[in-house]
Amino acid sequence: MFSSSPADAPLVREPAHAPVAHLVRDGVVEGVHHGSVVVLDADGEITLRLGDIEAAFYPRSAIKPVQAVAMVRAGLPLEGELLSLAAASHSGEERHLAGARRILELAGLTEDHLRNVPDMPYDPAVRDAWVRAGRMPSRLAQNCSGKHAAMLYTCALNGWPLENYLDAGHPLQQAVAEIVEDLTGQRIAKVSVDGCGAPLFSISLHGLARATARIVSAAPGTPEARVADAMREHAEMASGTGRDVAALMRAVPGMLSKDGFEGVQVAALADGRAVAVKIADGADRARVPVTAAALARAGVDPALLKEFEGEPLLGGGREVGRVRVVPRLESPAGATGA
């Protein structure tokens, strides 16, 4: 169950990660990915923990749904595709850029007001086409531009300063920090700066799972439910065409999922069941199958997760192995659910 007042901040320490996945080539373990995993039931109780789920860590972009909730609570009126984009790590497709421009237009602002770092599109194919066209890095193409445009819109609506909206002491970022502590149920351990330039709040993996569960299971019409509905209904606006996080949401009805750099993934079902994953070495090839295994342990029908079980390892053009989760993460026989 959730407390009405945040608990103490998680400790800043070296996380005691554990093996979560093996790279197996013809029956021999060639590599080991370490990390941490937590699975919560619908009541918020831990049903599986692996590694160190209580140490302070940076959730990176997996915290974006929480940031979006904070903006909606502060009056952000976006819905649907544009609200999904406000919580996105987008691929830089034209629809993402057009959406970010539209948010800025609604605020009476332009791309020049953005303070995120200029970058190329995140998706490799989109980035290659961008380079072939001779286009340069831009703030709009950077994968967090939807969030930044929404932050500026929130500031404009509240009469808050625009030029320093990324400062940790700015009213917007103070409002975000308050909602991070509210939804995670714990104090923030440390504040840093994310790759895009926005404040980054250190919480625990357990806290991240709690926050996402609260967003997905919130009552209809609340800011939390609005964010969850937008991201689930417009999964590709929150990520991009062909992205695994969107594919997960499409595969499991009613599920909200969000990825983050450095091997972070969180997912939650409508009844409050949730999982959170951190891969110590940041490897995406381990993040996806470990997340799928955790979801199966949460009761998701394994048949819905087959395509996420791990990429094949090739030798001479044929499959000779793949990434496999450790036995402790394997779903109990016959486990089925939503």
Side-chain angles (χ1 to χ4, degrees):
M1 301 299 292
F2 300 109
S3 172
S4 60
S5 59
D8 291 341
L11 293 178
V12 177
R13 64 185 183 219
E14 181 178 351
H17 292 305
V20 293
H22 296 149
L23 180 65
V24 182
R25 183 188 295 267
D26 273 334
V28 175
V29 175
E30 186 173 31
V32 180
H33 292 289
H34 289 70
S36 296
V37 181
V38 60
V39 178
L40 305 181
D41 66 15
D43 293 324
E45 298 298 323
I46 298 171
T47 61
L48 176 73
R49 69 167 74 211
L50 186 59
D52 194 345
I53 67 169
E54 303 295 356
F57 92 121
Y58 291 120
R60 303 300 298 270
S61 287
I63 201 70
K64 282 179 177 174
V66 178
Q67 293 171 310
V69 168
M71 289 187 276
V72 174
R73 287 195 189 183
L76 183 70
L78 298 178
E79 301 285 352
E81 289 189 350
L82 295 185
L83 182 53
S84 183
L85 186 63
S89 301
H90 66 70
S91 292
E93 300 167 40
E94 286 302 326
R95 59 177 165 174
H96 299 131
L97 276 60
R101 289 191 195 95
R102 179 59 181 154
I103 295 171
L104 290 168
E105 289 169 359
L106 290 170
L109 304 173
T110 70
E111 184 179 351
D112 291 338
H113 289 90
L114 293 172
R115 291 293 178 267
N116 58 319
V117 178
D119 201 358
M120 296 288 193
Y122 176 73
D123 182 87
V126 178
R127 183 170 60 248
D128 289 348
W130 186 281
V131 172
R132 287 195 300 271
R135 302 171 76 175
M136 301 299 291
S138 78
R139 298 185 194 276
L140 209 61
Q142 197 267 337
N143 76 90
C144 301
S145 65
K147 178 183 77 174
H148 282 255
M151 285 182 168
L152 283 166
Y153 192 7
T154 304
C155 290
L157 290 167
N158 285 278
W160 295 334
L162 302 179
E163 63 278 1
N164 65 334
Y165 74 94
L166 295 182
D167 290 354
H170 188 280
L172 170 68
Q173 303 304 340
Q174 289 294 297
V176 171
E178 180 181 343
I179 302 309
V180 168
E181 293 189 337
D182 176 27
L183 293 180
T184 62
Q186 62 188 175
R187 301 292 182 190
I188 293 166
K190 194 173 180 63
V191 181
S192 185
V193 182
D194 211 340
C196 66
L200 180 60
F201 304 107
S202 182
I203 54 175
S204 71
L205 194 67
H206 187 185
L208 177 64
R210 276 196 302 258
T212 310
R214 294 186 68 182
I215 290 172
V216 173
S217 61
T222 59
E224 291 89 337
R226 286 171 55 191
V227 170
D229 289 345
M231 293 181 70
R232 289 181 295 198
E233 292 169 13
H234 304 280
E236 281 77 15
M237 282 298 282
S239 53
T241 302
R243 293 271 293 280
D244 57 69
V245 66
L248 264 173
M249 285 193 274
R250 298 295 185 206
V252 183
M255 188 179 74
L256 172 66
S257 188
K258 185 69 185 77
D259 55 349
F261 281 156
E262 297 303 321
V264 182
Q265 182 95 33
V266 67
L269 299 155
D271 63 2
R273 287 175 288 160
V275 308
V277 170
K278 163 63 181 176
I279 305 300
D281 61 5
D284 276 347
R285 74 179 183 187
R287 172 181 57 83
V288 177
V290 170
T291 299
L295 285 167
R297 290 298 300 262
V300 174
D301 185 350
L304 300 176
L305 303 166
K306 290 293 291 183
E307 66 178 291
F308 308 104
E309 288 183 345
E311 63 185 54
L313 178 65
L314 302 180
R318 66 180 181 86
E319 183 175 337
V320 294
R322 62 177 51 239
V323 175
R324 298 194 181 280
V325 299
V326 297
R328 190 175 170 195
L329 276 174
E330 292 175 349
S331 181
T336 59

